[in-house]
Amino acid sequence: MVTSGLLELLTDDELLYVFGHELGHWQANHVLYKMASHLISEAAATIADYTLGLGRLLTAPLQLAILKWDRCSELTADRAGLLVVRRADVAIRTLMKLTGGSRFIYEQMDYQEFLRQAGGISDGSGR
């Protein structure tokens, strides 16, 4: 989703990354699957409520599988955004800004520490 706050926070290249990310979801039919997974999760929560939590034992594996698929779909969309901008540093800066949520927090973030916490990914710039 692109909000007015996002438009103010991101540069043109970073917005291009976000548009590529969102179009990646669309291209991979994630919208349909995300909606179905949301409905399944809601149904599982309702079952758990009506069975005093015992239903959670039955629905937990399904919910874990849905959560794993959801993370994988985000990674796929991130790759689509990267394919659009073709610059890892733009993708990383965008993710940093989205993580922080504001310019003030972004300005206090450490680029190298963000990469370290992300598992040692590299932007190829040697920074």
Side-chain angles (χ1 to χ4, degrees):
M1 177 178 3
V2 179
T3 64
S4 58
L6 200 62
L7 294 173
E8 292 176 9
L9 181 63
L10 303 179
T11 66
D12 289 347
D13 284 343
E14 293 163 351
L15 283 170
L16 192 60
Y17 171 84
V18 169
F19 292 141
H21 172 99
E22 295 304 329
L23 286 171
H25 280 305
W26 175 77
Q27 184 65 32
N29 292 318
H30 291 165
V31 176
L32 172 66
Y33 296 120
K34 279 184 178 274
M35 184 174 289
S37 70
H38 178 73
L39 292 172
I40 291 168
S41 292
E42 289 294 319
T46 302
I47 290 169
D49 289 344
Y50 281 107
T51 60
L52 302 174
L54 293 176
R56 204 172 305 279
L57 294 172
L58 298 173
T59 61
L62 176 62
Q63 288 182 304
L64 288 173
I66 289 170
L67 288 172
K68 181 178 180 185
W69 176 87
D70 191 56
R71 279 305 316 139
C72 290
S73 74
E74 288 303 321
L75 182 57
T76 297
D78 287 341
R79 289 176 179 155
L82 183 57
L83 285 171
V84 170
V85 295
R86 298 177 184 260
R87 287 186 46 206
D89 63 311
V90 171
I92 293 166
R93 275 197 328 268
T94 305
L95 293 172
M96 287 177 69
K97 287 180 179 180
L98 293 173
T99 300
S102 74
R103 190 172 307 280
F104 175 76
I105 292 173
Y106 170 72
E107 290 170 355
Q108 295 180 30
M109 295 175 83
D110 181 271
Y111 188 89
Q112 289 301 323
E113 182 62 18
F114 185 83
L115 292 178
R116 189 190 67 72
Q117 290 180 21
I121 60 172
S122 172
D123 68 354
S125 69
R127 298 184 357 181

